[in-house]
Amino acid sequence: MFNFLFKFLFKIAGWKLVGQFPKHIKKSILIVAPHAQSVDFPVGIGARAAIGVKMGFLGKKELFEGLFGWMFYWLGGYPVDRSSNNQVVKAVTTLYNSKEELHLVIAPEGTRKDVDKLKMGFYFIAKNADIPIVMIGFDYAIKGIVISEPFYTTNDSHADLKQIALFFDKIGGYKKTWVSNYLKY
């Protein structure tokens, strides 16, 4: 019922999917960028419903506290404490290894503010859990959710990050400084 409503609202707002989600893959980490505004979350929930694959998300623990905290759990969220080194990569890798099927969404910038580089947790989760990264771009210029093919990490992190930046460099609308920084490699 709610997926139908979220999908309907996504379409009525004029958003569309660009590309196909790799439904044959049972596990992936999805990196969504740019994460620039509060409206990204409802657009993302609508996109998830339109894609039709069960996905959870990693979010700052503060979202899960207070009056609406229950809602973020209900929507499939896993809280992350960003205040210190809590071995999040190890915990999420263990979570992936314990599940037959798991797709988690993360904003690699770690914030809605402009950043110079990405938080690397998603990369090490993908590498340690031996799962692909699926890049998803919020292209506000065309109101499109752009979905990449699965990307598997290699032993060359600089080359991998450049490939990730090349994907996001094509996303219209709000640009983040980290993209140009990684393209310099």
Side-chain angles (χ1 to χ4, degrees), residues 4-79:
F4 173 78
L5 176 63
F6 294 139
K7 183 177 179 179
F8 174 75
L9 292 173
F10 177 77
K11 299 261 185 202
I12 200 92
W15 284 88
K16 63 183 176 270
L17 299 177
V18 179
Q20 296 288 322
F21 186 82
K23 293 182 179 181
H24 63 284
I25 293 175
K26 294 197 180 284
K27 297 179 185 181
S28 67
I29 188 150
L30 296 87
I31 57 170
V32 178
H35 181 35
Q37 30 191 331
S38 296
V39 75
D40 294 346
F41 186 75
V43 169
I45 295 296
R48 179 178 73 174
I51 291 169
V53 171
K54 183 179 178 183
M55 297 174 197
F57 64 92
L58 299 176
K60 62 182 178 180
K61 73 176 176 97
E62 293 81 4
L63 292 174
F64 298 84
E65 299 169 351
L67 185 61
F68 294 104
W70 63 270
M71 181 181 70
F72 292 101
Y73 284 108
W74 178 74
L75 289 170
Y78 294 85

Side-chain angles (χ1 to χ4, degrees), residues 91-157:
V92 175
T93 301
T94 300
L95 179 64
Y96 271 103
N97 291 337
S98 72
K99 303 278 187 183
E100 283 286 320
E101 201 167 316
L102 182 63
H103 301 282
L104 289 177
V105 177
I106 188 169
E109 296 139 319
T111 183
R112 290 186 309 246
K113 297 174 188 154
D114 205 8
V115 298
D116 291 330
K117 62 181 185 171
L118 298 178
K119 304 269 186 188
M120 294 299 294
F122 77 90
Y123 185 81
F124 295 113
I125 291 167
K127 197 163 206 47
N128 294 344
D130 195 26
I131 58 171
I133 297 167
V134 176
M135 294 165 268
I136 298 183
F138 278 41
D139 193 329
Y140 282 90
I142 63 167
K143 278 192 152 182
I145 302 300
V146 183
I147 305 167
S148 78
E149 293 291 322
F151 177 81
Y152 291 87
T153 61
T154 69
N155 290 326
D156 186 346
S157 62

